[in-house]
């Protein structure tokens, strides 16, 4: 939360565009915090994106009609929300020489692995773990997500912003 994961994708988009690479940005349709057709940072920087329900190599052509598989670079935001099919999807993209950047939370608010992010991280050439400012002690070392106590939902997936979550360092975090 608030560490710059989506901003990393925005920067990758801008870098790819400088070198005339074709870019496709994708986000899950469960992430409805800003807009359906952009990846948007908390600071309101945006890039165009496709809004999809599932990433799978088994979808029909109609379901993929807006995805340009001729693109050089694929950016996937909030990857923790996609189902297991994302692993094979990313593997196939890499096998045909595509550059793939993925952003997402590796742990949920309880400190448990979140979705298929841990598996995707093992496939990566490079993993960058961003740190945010801890909402409690204010140090820039927060890698944990804290779900605010007044939120009455104990499911793993609850999409929200600063009204629901805080970034915390390990010392200030509690499950």
């Amino acid at each position: 939360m608030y560490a710059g994961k989506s901003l990393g994708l925005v920067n990758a988009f801008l870098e790819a565009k400088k070198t005339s690479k074709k870019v496709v940005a994708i986000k899950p349709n469960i992430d409805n915090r800003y807009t359906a057709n952009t990846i948007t940072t908390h600071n309101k920087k945006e890039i165009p994106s496709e809004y999809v329900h599932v990433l799978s190599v088994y979808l029909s052509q109609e379901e993929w009609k807006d995805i340009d598989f001729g693109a050089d670079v694929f950016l996937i935001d909030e990857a923790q929300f996609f189902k297991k099919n994302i692993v094979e999807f990313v593997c196939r993209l890499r096998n045909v020489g595509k550059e793939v950047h993925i952003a997402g939370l590796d742990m949920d608010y309880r400190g448990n692995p979140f979705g298929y992010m841990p598996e995707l991280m093992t496939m990566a050439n490079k993993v960058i773990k961003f740190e945010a400012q801890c909402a409690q002690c204010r140090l820039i070392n927060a890698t944990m997500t804290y779900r605010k106590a007044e939120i009455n939902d104990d499911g793993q997936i609850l999409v929200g912003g600063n009204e629901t979550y805080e970034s915390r360092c390990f010392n200030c975090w509690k499950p």
Side-chain angles (χ1 to χ4, degrees):
M1 296 291 308
Y2 306 100
K5 296 178 303 298
S6 295
L7 180 59
L9 293 180
V10 169
N11 291 338
F13 177 86
L14 296 173
E15 281 299 311
K17 287 296 188 183
K18 280 183 194 175
T19 59
S20 299
K21 291 181 178 175
K22 289 173 64 178
V23 183
V24 169
I26 300 168
K27 74 176 196 174
N29 66 357
I30 191 172
D31 181 10
N32 55 8
R33 290 172 294 171
Y34 298 111
T35 67
N37 59 351
T38 64
I39 290 175
T40 307
T41 70
H42 295 298
N43 294 330
K44 305 297 188 257
K45 292 185 180 184
E46 297 180 333
I47 59 173
S49 72
E50 299 302 329
Y51 197 52
V52 301
H53 173 69
V54 66
L55 286 178
S56 171
V57 295
Y58 304 110
L59 294 178
S60 70
Q61 189 172 10
E62 175 61 24
E63 292 170 289
W64 285 115
K65 69 180 188 308
D66 296 325
I67 305 291
D68 179 3
F69 284 99
D72 306 297
V73 179
F74 287 77
L75 310 174
I76 303 171
D77 199 21
E78 301 294 353
Q80 74 275 6
F81 294 137
F82 286 110
K83 303 294 184 214
K84 182 166 180 57
N85 293 338
I86 189 174
V87 175
E88 185 177 359
F89 178 80
V90 169
C91 190
R92 291 249 180 123
L93 287 176
R94 291 189 66 212
N95 286 343
V96 295
K98 303 300 181 181
E99 183 180 328
V100 182
H101 297 256
I102 299 171
L105 296 172
D106 61 338
M107 292 184 291
D108 66 12
Y109 73 101
R110 292 183 188 116
N112 295 322
F114 203 161
Y116 291 92
M117 283 301 294
E119 193 169 345
L120 291 168
M121 290 169 73
T122 65
M123 296 168 53
N125 293 333
K126 181 176 172 182
V127 174
I128 301 170
K129 195 152 179 171
F130 291 97
E131 295 178 332
Q133 182 177 41
C134 177
Q136 295 294 299
C137 71
R138 314 308 288 166
L139 294 175
I140 308 290
N141 65 349
T143 59
M144 306 302 289
T145 301
Y146 174 75
R147 186 179 287 177
K148 295 179 179 178
E150 62 271 13
I151 304 302
N152 231 1
D153 185 325
D154 63 354
Q156 186 178 42
I157 296 176
L158 177 63
V159 177
N162 61 1
E163 76 286 348
T164 310
Y165 296 102
E166 290 180 348
S167 296
R168 294 214 180 159
C169 68
F170 190 78
N171 291 332
C172 295
W173 169 78
K174 60 180 179 185

